[in-house]
PDB file of all heavy atoms in Angstrom:
ATOM      1  N   HIS E1536     -41.015  27.836 -10.429  1.00  0.00           N
ATOM      2  CA  HIS E1536     -42.227  28.633 -10.124  1.00  0.00           C
ATOM      3  C   HIS E1536     -42.908  29.100 -11.427  1.00  0.00           C
ATOM      4  O   HIS E1536     -44.143  28.956 -11.554  1.00  0.00           O
ATOM      5  CB  HIS E1536     -41.899  29.834  -9.247  1.00  0.00           C
ATOM      6  CG  HIS E1536     -41.650  29.457  -7.834  1.00  0.00           C
ATOM      7  ND1 HIS E1536     -40.448  29.770  -7.209  1.00  0.00           N
ATOM      8  CD2 HIS E1536     -42.393  28.831  -6.918  1.00  0.00           C
ATOM      9  CE1 HIS E1536     -40.484  29.313  -6.010  1.00  0.00           C
ATOM     10  NE2 HIS E1536     -41.638  28.763  -5.798  1.00  0.00           N
ATOM     11  N   ALA E1537     -42.138  29.610 -12.334  1.00  0.00           N
ATOM     12  CA  ALA E1537     -42.723  30.032 -13.643  1.00  0.00           C
ATOM     13  C   ALA E1537     -43.347  28.907 -14.356  1.00  0.00           C
ATOM     14  O   ALA E1537     -44.400  29.068 -15.011  1.00  0.00           O
ATOM     15  CB  ALA E1537     -41.635  30.706 -14.462  1.00  0.00           C
ATOM     16  N   LEU E1538     -42.709  27.720 -14.324  1.00  0.00           N
ATOM     17  CA  LEU E1538     -43.234  26.612 -15.066  1.00  0.00           C
ATOM     18  C   LEU E1538     -44.563  26.072 -14.362  1.00  0.00           C
ATOM     19  O   LEU E1538     -45.507  25.682 -15.025  1.00  0.00           O
ATOM     20  CB  LEU E1538     -42.215  25.440 -15.098  1.00  0.00           C
ATOM     21  CG  LEU E1538     -41.025  25.764 -15.978  1.00  0.00           C
ATOM     22  CD1 LEU E1538     -39.938  24.684 -15.903  1.00  0.00           C
ATOM     23  CD2 LEU E1538     -41.460  25.988 -17.412  1.00  0.00           C
ATOM     24  N   LEU E1539     -44.611  26.122 -13.003  1.00  0.00           N
ATOM     25  CA  LEU E1539     -45.847  25.718 -12.363  1.00  0.00           C
ATOM     26  C   LEU E1539     -46.991  26.650 -12.694  1.00  0.00           C
ATOM     27  O   LEU E1539     -48.128  26.225 -12.941  1.00  0.00           O
ATOM     28  CB  LEU E1539     -45.568  25.694 -10.851  1.00  0.00           C
ATOM     29  CG  LEU E1539     -44.750  24.504 -10.343  1.00  0.00           C
ATOM     30  CD1 LEU E1539     -44.410  24.691  -8.835  1.00  0.00           C
ATOM     31  CD2 LEU E1539     -45.466  23.237 -10.581  1.00  0.00           C
ATOM     32  N   TYR E1540     -46.691  27.946 -12.681  1.00  0.00           N
ATOM     33  CA  TYR E1540     -47.702  28.937 -13.123  1.00  0.00           C
ATOM     34  C   TYR E1540     -48.146  28.643 -14.592  1.00  0.00           C
ATOM     35  O   TYR E1540     -49.321  28.658 -14.903  1.00  0.00           O
ATOM     36  CB  TYR E1540     -47.224  30.338 -12.979  1.00  0.00           C
ATOM     37  CG  TYR E1540     -47.261  30.944 -11.579  1.00  0.00           C
ATOM     38  CD1 TYR E1540     -46.109  31.260 -10.959  1.00  0.00           C
ATOM     39  CD2 TYR E1540     -48.464  31.122 -10.919  1.00  0.00           C
ATOM     40  CE1 TYR E1540     -46.109  31.855  -9.677  1.00  0.00           C
ATOM     41  CE2 TYR E1540     -48.493  31.646  -9.610  1.00  0.00           C
ATOM     42  CZ  TYR E1540     -47.330  31.957  -9.007  1.00  0.00           C
ATOM     43  OH  TYR E1540     -47.361  32.512  -7.738  1.00  0.00           O
ATOM     44  N   THR E1541     -47.175  28.351 -15.438  1.00  0.00           N
ATOM     45  CA  THR E1541     -47.495  28.068 -16.843  1.00  0.00           C
ATOM     46  C   THR E1541     -48.459  26.917 -16.954  1.00  0.00           C
ATOM     47  O   THR E1541     -49.451  27.008 -17.684  1.00  0.00           O
ATOM     48  CB  THR E1541     -46.253  27.761 -17.656  1.00  0.00           C
ATOM     49  OG1 THR E1541     -45.342  28.875 -17.558  1.00  0.00           O
ATOM     50  CG2 THR E1541     -46.513  27.510 -19.094  1.00  0.00           C
ATOM     51  N   ILE E1542     -48.219  25.850 -16.249  1.00  0.00           N
ATOM     52  CA  ILE E1542     -49.056  24.685 -16.291  1.00  0.00           C
ATOM     53  C   ILE E1542     -50.472  25.033 -15.855  1.00  0.00           C
ATOM     54  O   ILE E1542     -51.448  24.639 -16.482  1.00  0.00           O
ATOM     55  CB  ILE E1542     -48.495  23.524 -15.430  1.00  0.00           C
ATOM     56  CG1 ILE E1542     -47.193  22.964 -16.075  1.00  0.00           C
ATOM     57  CG2 ILE E1542     -49.510  22.384 -15.252  1.00  0.00           C
ATOM     58  CD1 ILE E1542     -46.377  22.095 -15.177  1.00  0.00           C
ATOM     59  N   ALA E1543     -50.561  25.784 -14.725  1.00  0.00           N
ATOM     60  CA  ALA E1543     -51.943  26.152 -14.238  1.00  0.00           C
ATOM     61  C   ALA E1543     -52.672  27.029 -15.248  1.00  0.00           C
ATOM     62  O   ALA E1543     -53.895  26.824 -15.497  1.00  0.00           O
ATOM     63  CB  ALA E1543     -51.770  26.901 -12.905  1.00  0.00           C
ATOM     64  N   PHE E1544     -51.942  27.967 -15.866  1.00  0.00           N
ATOM     65  CA  PHE E1544     -52.588  28.867 -16.834  1.00  0.00           C
ATOM     66  C   PHE E1544     -52.984  28.166 -18.089  1.00  0.00           C
ATOM     67  O   PHE E1544     -53.928  28.466 -18.772  1.00  0.00           O
ATOM     68  CB  PHE E1544     -51.733  30.137 -17.087  1.00  0.00           C
ATOM     69  CG  PHE E1544     -51.558  30.951 -15.834  1.00  0.00           C
ATOM     70  CD1 PHE E1544     -50.317  31.538 -15.529  1.00  0.00           C
ATOM     71  CD2 PHE E1544     -52.635  31.174 -14.960  1.00  0.00           C
ATOM     72  CE1 PHE E1544     -50.149  32.291 -14.341  1.00  0.00           C
ATOM     73  CE2 PHE E1544     -52.464  31.915 -13.821  1.00  0.00           C
ATOM     74  CZ  PHE E1544     -51.228  32.482 -13.513  1.00  0.00           C
ATOM     75  N   ILE E1545     -52.214  27.157 -18.492  1.00  0.00           N
ATOM     76  CA  ILE E1545     -52.598  26.329 -19.674  1.00  0.00           C
ATOM     77  C   ILE E1545     -53.909  25.567 -19.363  1.00  0.00           C
ATOM     78  O   ILE E1545     -54.740  25.502 -20.224  1.00  0.00           O
ATOM     79  CB  ILE E1545     -51.483  25.350 -20.048  1.00  0.00           C
ATOM     80  CG1 ILE E1545     -50.282  26.158 -20.689  1.00  0.00           C
ATOM     81  CG2 ILE E1545     -52.005  24.276 -21.052  1.00  0.00           C
ATOM     82  CD1 ILE E1545     -49.063  25.289 -20.907  1.00  0.00           C
ATOM     83  N   VAL E1546     -53.993  25.043 -18.143  1.00  0.00           N
ATOM     84  CA  VAL E1546     -55.249  24.317 -17.772  1.00  0.00           C
ATOM     85  C   VAL E1546     -56.406  25.328 -17.818  1.00  0.00           C
ATOM     86  O   VAL E1546     -57.450  24.980 -18.380  1.00  0.00           O
ATOM     87  CB  VAL E1546     -55.122  23.670 -16.388  1.00  0.00           C
ATOM     88  CG1 VAL E1546     -56.429  23.140 -15.922  1.00  0.00           C
ATOM     89  CG2 VAL E1546     -54.056  22.569 -16.431  1.00  0.00           C
ATOM     90  N   ILE E1547     -56.212  26.486 -17.248  1.00  0.00           N
ATOM     91  CA  ILE E1547     -57.305  27.493 -17.229  1.00  0.00           C
ATOM     92  C   ILE E1547     -57.666  27.940 -18.654  1.00  0.00           C
ATOM     93  O   ILE E1547     -58.786  28.014 -18.985  1.00  0.00           O
ATOM     94  CB  ILE E1547     -56.911  28.734 -16.350  1.00  0.00           C
ATOM     95  CG1 ILE E1547     -56.833  28.338 -14.898  1.00  0.00           C
ATOM     96  CG2 ILE E1547     -57.870  29.853 -16.564  1.00  0.00           C
ATOM     97  CD1 ILE E1547     -56.184  29.350 -13.999  1.00  0.00           C
ATOM     98  N   PHE E1548     -56.649  28.073 -19.486  1.00  0.00           N
ATOM     99  CA  PHE E1548     -56.920  28.411 -20.928  1.00  0.00           C
ATOM    100  C   PHE E1548     -57.695  27.338 -21.641  1.00  0.00           C
ATOM    101  O   PHE E1548     -58.683  27.633 -22.308  1.00  0.00           O
ATOM    102  CB  PHE E1548     -55.543  28.671 -21.603  1.00  0.00           C
ATOM    103  CG  PHE E1548     -55.730  29.016 -23.048  1.00  0.00           C
ATOM    104  CD1 PHE E1548     -55.861  30.415 -23.423  1.00  0.00           C
ATOM    105  CD2 PHE E1548     -55.701  28.074 -24.086  1.00  0.00           C
ATOM    106  CE1 PHE E1548     -56.001  30.793 -24.714  1.00  0.00           C
ATOM    107  CE2 PHE E1548     -55.837  28.487 -25.406  1.00  0.00           C
ATOM    108  CZ  PHE E1548     -55.979  29.810 -25.711  1.00  0.00           C
ATOM    109  N   LEU E1549     -57.360  26.096 -21.394  1.00  0.00           N
ATOM    110  CA  LEU E1549     -58.047  24.950 -22.046  1.00  0.00           C
ATOM    111  C   LEU E1549     -59.450  24.765 -21.502  1.00  0.00           C
ATOM    112  O   LEU E1549     -60.396  24.421 -22.250  1.00  0.00           O
ATOM    113  CB  LEU E1549     -57.246  23.734 -21.937  1.00  0.00           C
ATOM    114  CG  LEU E1549     -55.872  23.732 -22.656  1.00  0.00           C
ATOM    115  CD1 LEU E1549     -55.099  22.422 -22.390  1.00  0.00           C
ATOM    116  CD2 LEU E1549     -56.123  23.860 -24.210  1.00  0.00           C
ATOM    117  N   THR E1550     -59.648  24.879 -20.203  1.00  0.00           N
ATOM    118  CA  THR E1550     -60.969  24.579 -19.610  1.00  0.00           C
ATOM    119  C   THR E1550     -61.897  25.758 -19.711  1.00  0.00           C
ATOM    120  O   THR E1550     -63.144  25.612 -19.637  1.00  0.00           O
ATOM    121  CB  THR E1550     -60.860  24.229 -18.112  1.00  0.00           C
ATOM    122  OG1 THR E1550     -60.286  25.326 -17.370  1.00  0.00           O
ATOM    123  CG2 THR E1550     -60.027  22.980 -17.927  1.00  0.00           C
ATOM    124  N   GLY E1551     -61.381  26.986 -19.780  1.00  0.00           N
ATOM    125  CA  GLY E1551     -62.222  28.160 -19.687  1.00  0.00           C
ATOM    126  C   GLY E1551     -62.443  28.488 -18.254  1.00  0.00           C
ATOM    127  O   GLY E1551     -61.894  27.881 -17.356  1.00  0.00           O
ATOM    128  N   PRO E1552     -63.219  29.558 -18.009  1.00  0.00           N
ATOM    129  CA  PRO E1552     -63.384  30.065 -16.575  1.00  0.00           C
ATOM    130  C   PRO E1552     -64.301  29.232 -15.700  1.00  0.00           C
ATOM    131  O   PRO E1552     -64.217  29.392 -14.520  1.00  0.00           O
ATOM    132  CB  PRO E1552     -63.971  31.442 -16.820  1.00  0.00           C
ATOM    133  CG  PRO E1552     -64.755  31.278 -18.077  1.00  0.00           C
ATOM    134  CD  PRO E1552     -64.010  30.323 -18.945  1.00  0.00           C
ATOM    135  N   GLY E1553     -65.118  28.374 -16.240  1.00  0.00           N
ATOM    136  CA  GLY E1553     -66.096  27.637 -15.441  1.00  0.00           C
ATOM    137  C   GLY E1553     -67.363  28.556 -15.207  1.00  0.00           C
ATOM    138  O   GLY E1553     -67.390  29.661 -15.649  1.00  0.00           O
ATOM    139  N   LYS E1554     -68.326  27.961 -14.563  1.00  0.00           N
ATOM    140  CA  LYS E1554     -69.546  28.708 -14.363  1.00  0.00           C
ATOM    141  C   LYS E1554     -69.552  29.807 -13.306  1.00  0.00           C
ATOM    142  O   LYS E1554     -70.384  30.649 -13.237  1.00  0.00           O
ATOM    143  CB  LYS E1554     -70.761  27.766 -14.229  1.00  0.00           C
ATOM    144  CG  LYS E1554     -70.813  27.129 -12.857  1.00  0.00           C
ATOM    145  CD  LYS E1554     -72.065  26.256 -12.883  1.00  0.00           C
ATOM    146  CE  LYS E1554     -72.355  25.730 -11.476  1.00  0.00           C
ATOM    147  NZ  LYS E1554     -73.615  24.949 -11.390  1.00  0.00           N
ATOM    148  N   TYR E1555     -68.528  29.752 -12.462  1.00  0.00           N
ATOM    149  CA  TYR E1555     -68.375  30.698 -11.387  1.00  0.00           C
ATOM    150  C   TYR E1555     -67.453  31.822 -11.832  1.00  0.00           C
ATOM    151  O   TYR E1555     -66.290  31.949 -11.375  1.00  0.00           O
ATOM    152  CB  TYR E1555     -67.885  30.068 -10.112  1.00  0.00           C
ATOM    153  CG  TYR E1555     -68.725  28.910  -9.676  1.00  0.00           C
ATOM    154  CD1 TYR E1555     -68.216  27.604  -9.584  1.00  0.00           C
ATOM    155  CD2 TYR E1555     -70.042  29.135  -9.306  1.00  0.00           C
ATOM    156  CE1 TYR E1555     -69.016  26.562  -9.206  1.00  0.00           C
ATOM    157  CE2 TYR E1555     -70.841  28.061  -8.885  1.00  0.00           C
ATOM    158  CZ  TYR E1555     -70.327  26.774  -8.875  1.00  0.00           C
ATOM    159  OH  TYR E1555     -71.133  25.766  -8.451  1.00  0.00           O
ATOM    160  N   SER E1556     -67.910  32.596 -12.819  1.00  0.00           N
ATOM    161  CA  SER E1556     -67.076  33.611 -13.405  1.00  0.00           C
ATOM    162  C   SER E1556     -67.886  34.696 -14.092  1.00  0.00           C
ATOM    163  O   SER E1556     -69.074  34.448 -14.332  1.00  0.00           O
ATOM    164  CB  SER E1556     -66.109  33.009 -14.487  1.00  0.00           C
ATOM    165  OG  SER E1556     -66.881  32.584 -15.579  1.00  0.00           O
TER     166      SER E1556
END
Side-chain angles (χ1 to χ4, degrees):
H1536 286 121
L1538 293 173
L1539 289 171
Y1540 280 117
T1541 301
I1542 292 166
F1544 296 138
I1545 289 171
V1546 170
I1547 292 168
F1548 182 85
L1549 293 174
T1550 61
K1554 73 179 192 176
Y1555 306 115
S1556 67

